[in-house]
């Protein structure tokens, strides 16, 4: 029988107790360190900014600024600026939540695709680049979603604050600046058969004949780009004669005159300038001329789902209404009695003349696939269940309206930055912000 040494046992117990204390102290120290790393540096309404976020953003900004400028402001100045940036981001994100702005994963995927395309890299290469920078793809996706959310909030709210009157649009369109901005854009092809300043009549005649021969070949179906590469003396020859997009005011007057009646795809007859004989092609055109838009006049009946009306019941109700209309009852009367679309029910469900893009995709698709007079099958959108009837279709020249819309957008874009700063200052002042450092 072995007898235990009481002194050894007590020493073992003391050692165990000491080890336990050390371990507990280590855990407490680790916990204290974690708290220190993630301590709150600002309270913004119902949200927090953590010190770890501030440190990570500071590191990113410092690396970028050093690469650009070398000399940087003091660390405390930079950190104060960056903390303010984080605070304003938090304010905007909380506003976006109130407005139900939530970009989907598909939008994030598209943004990542654009990043890869613009840099000419694959997804695997993007992930490798991110790892070298100490970042993951998930972190990038999160940042992109944040950026998209804030951008959609800014565009929606700030643009809604900008009012553009008809008189402002008229004044802009009448100005030189407005005429230039709303004038058509042309993508031109150009062939030049050069004639030197000291050329004798025979040389001029030979150059003219060459230009005429080229024009005849083009009229017979010859490829403009190939003819430009083979014959043109212009600097754009090796680009197939493509001189890019130009407005009339950016072109020589000789070219502008040729374009007045030149349709898209049309080639001008050779014309003379001091440099020689020119042939131009209207390769593409944006704006100008008739802008025919297919419009649809339709009416609908909307039934919303609720606690007492599920999807099947809503669909069945519309099927019954559809049968009654097909049996001779008046669509407008039934819409006034049953539709839950407050904007159209009093007018018998009439939606007026609509241009493409005015309605949600499923409504547009159903409307496009319905023949005139036909009552559609019930279909569901984000607003509820619908049946619709297309009453008429027409092609309308919307060139003047499009020009006015373009002018309004240009005026709005010029005012955006100023209105954006005013809005940002306002929401920052209205927010509760408590800085802890």
């Amino acid at each position: 029988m072995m007898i235990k040494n009481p002194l050894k046992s007590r020493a073992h117990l003391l050692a165990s107790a000491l080890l336990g204390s050390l371990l507990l102290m280590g855990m407490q120290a680790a916990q204290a360190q974690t708290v220190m790393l993630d301590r709150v540096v600002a309270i913004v309404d119902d949200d927090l900014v953590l010190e770890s976020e501030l440190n990570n953003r500071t590191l990113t900004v410092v690396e970028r600024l050093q690469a650009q400028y070398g000399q940087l402001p003091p660390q405390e100045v930079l950190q104060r600026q960056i903390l303010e940036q984080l605070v304003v981001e938090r304010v905007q994100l909380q506003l976006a939540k109130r407005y139900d702005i939530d970009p989907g994963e598909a939008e994030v995927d598209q943004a990542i695709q654009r990043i890869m395309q613009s840099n000419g890299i694959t997804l695997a290469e993007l992930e490798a680049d991110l790892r070298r920078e100490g970042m993951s793809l998930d972190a990038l996706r999160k940042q992109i979603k944040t950026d998209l959310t804030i951008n959609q909030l800014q565009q929606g709210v700030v643009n809604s604050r900008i009012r553009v009157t008809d008189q402002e649009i008229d004044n802009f369109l009448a100005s030189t600046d407005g005429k230039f901005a709303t004038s058509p854009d042309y993508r031109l092809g150009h062939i030049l058969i050069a004639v030197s300043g000291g050329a004798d009549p025979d040389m001029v005649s030979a150059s003219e004949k060459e230009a005429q021969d080229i024009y005849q070949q083009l009229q017979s179906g010859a490829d403009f780009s190939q003819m430009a590469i083979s014959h043109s003396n212009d600097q754009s020859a090796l680009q197939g004669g493509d001189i890019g997009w130009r407005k009339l005011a950016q072109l020589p007057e000789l070219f502008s005159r040729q374009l007045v009646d030149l349709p898209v795809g049309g080639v001008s007859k050779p014309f003379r300038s001091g440099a020689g004989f020119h042939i131009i092609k209207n390769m593409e055109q944006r704006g100008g001329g008739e802008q025919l838009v297919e419009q649809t006049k339709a009416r609908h009946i909307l039934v919303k789902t609720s606690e007492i009306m599920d999807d099947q019941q809503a669909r069945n109700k519309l099927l019954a209404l559809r049968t009654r209309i097909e049996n001779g009852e008046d669509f407008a009367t039934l819409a006034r009695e049953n539709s839950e679309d407050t904007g159209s029910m009093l007018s018998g469900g009439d939606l007026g003349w609509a241009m493409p893009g005015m309605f949600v995709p499923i409504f547009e698709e159903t409307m496009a696939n319905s023949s005139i007079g036909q009552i559609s099958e019930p279909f569901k959108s984000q607003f509820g269940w619908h049946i619709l009837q297309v009453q008429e279709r027409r092609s309308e020249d919307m060139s003047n309206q499009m020009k006015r819309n373009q002018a309004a957008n240009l005026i709005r874009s010029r005012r955006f930055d100023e209105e954006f700063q005013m809005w940002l200052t306002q929401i920052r002042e209205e927010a509760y912000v408590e800085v802890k450092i």
Side-chain angles (χ1 to χ4, degrees), residues 162-334:
I162 301 170
R163 296 284 180 265
V164 180
T165 66
D166 286 340
Q167 187 60 54
E168 288 174 311
I169 293 172
D170 291 338
N171 293 342
F172 179 76
L173 289 172
S175 69
T176 304
D177 194 13
K179 287 176 182 176
F180 176 80
T182 58
S183 64
D185 294 290
Y186 298 91
R187 181 170 163 242
L188 298 183
H190 179 221
I191 294 174
L192 169 66
I193 305 302
V195 177
S196 65
D200 58 40
D202 289 341
M203 294 172 67
V204 173
S205 180
S207 295
E208 183 177 13
K209 184 179 183 307
E210 183 181 358
Q212 289 290 348
D213 287 344
I214 292 169
Y215 173 72
Q216 291 301 327
Q217 290 182 63
L218 291 169
Q219 291 297 98
S220 299
D223 183 75
F224 191 93
S225 298
Q226 291 299 322
M227 297 299 285
I229 292 169
S230 302
H231 301 282
S232 182
N233 303 125
D234 186 67
Q235 292 294 312
S236 64
L238 293 179
Q239 285 77 51
D242 189 345
I243 61 174
W245 289 96
R246 298 283 192 279
K247 288 187 177 291
L248 286 181
Q250 297 172 314
L251 294 168
E253 190 178 347
L254 274 172
F255 283 37
S256 299
R257 286 204 297 265
Q258 297 294 325
L259 281 168
V260 172
D261 298 315
L262 195 64
V264 175
V267 175
S268 73
K269 292 180 179 179
F271 57 96
R272 176 78 189 274
S273 78
F277 292 91
H278 307 264
I279 300 171
I280 60 172
K281 178 177 181 178
N282 185 358
M283 299 170 73
E284 288 184 72
Q285 183 175 331
R286 297 186 296 219
E290 281 191 335
Q291 300 289 318
L292 294 176
V293 175
E294 183 78 18
Q295 295 182 319
T296 305
K297 189 173 189 296
R299 53 188 178 179
H300 82 133
I301 297 173
L302 169 68
V303 175
K304 297 179 180 179
T305 55
S306 64
E307 291 180 0
I308 58 171
M309 177 74 73
D310 62 22
D311 283 327
Q312 190 59 49
Q313 289 171 318
R315 186 175 186 279
N316 288 341
K317 181 177 180 178
L318 287 172
L319 281 171
L321 290 172
R322 180 174 182 264
T323 300
R324 289 169 65 183
I325 296 167
E326 289 175 338
N327 288 337
E329 292 193 50
D330 182 52
F331 189 111
T333 301
L334 291 177

Side-chain angles (χ1 to χ4, degrees), residues 8-24:
K8 187 174 180 181
S9 297
R10 281 197 294 274
H12 178 73
L13 289 170
L14 286 169
S16 297
L18 180 59
L19 178 61
S21 298
L22 288 171
L23 286 170
L24 180 61

Side-chain angles (χ1 to χ4, degrees), residues 360-380:
V360 293
I362 184 64
F363 201 98
E364 294 262 336
E365 183 183 340
T366 306
M367 195 164 60
N369 292 331
S370 298
S371 57
I372 293 174
Q374 175 189 356
I375 310 296
S376 73
E377 290 284 339
F379 63 96
K380 186 179 182 183

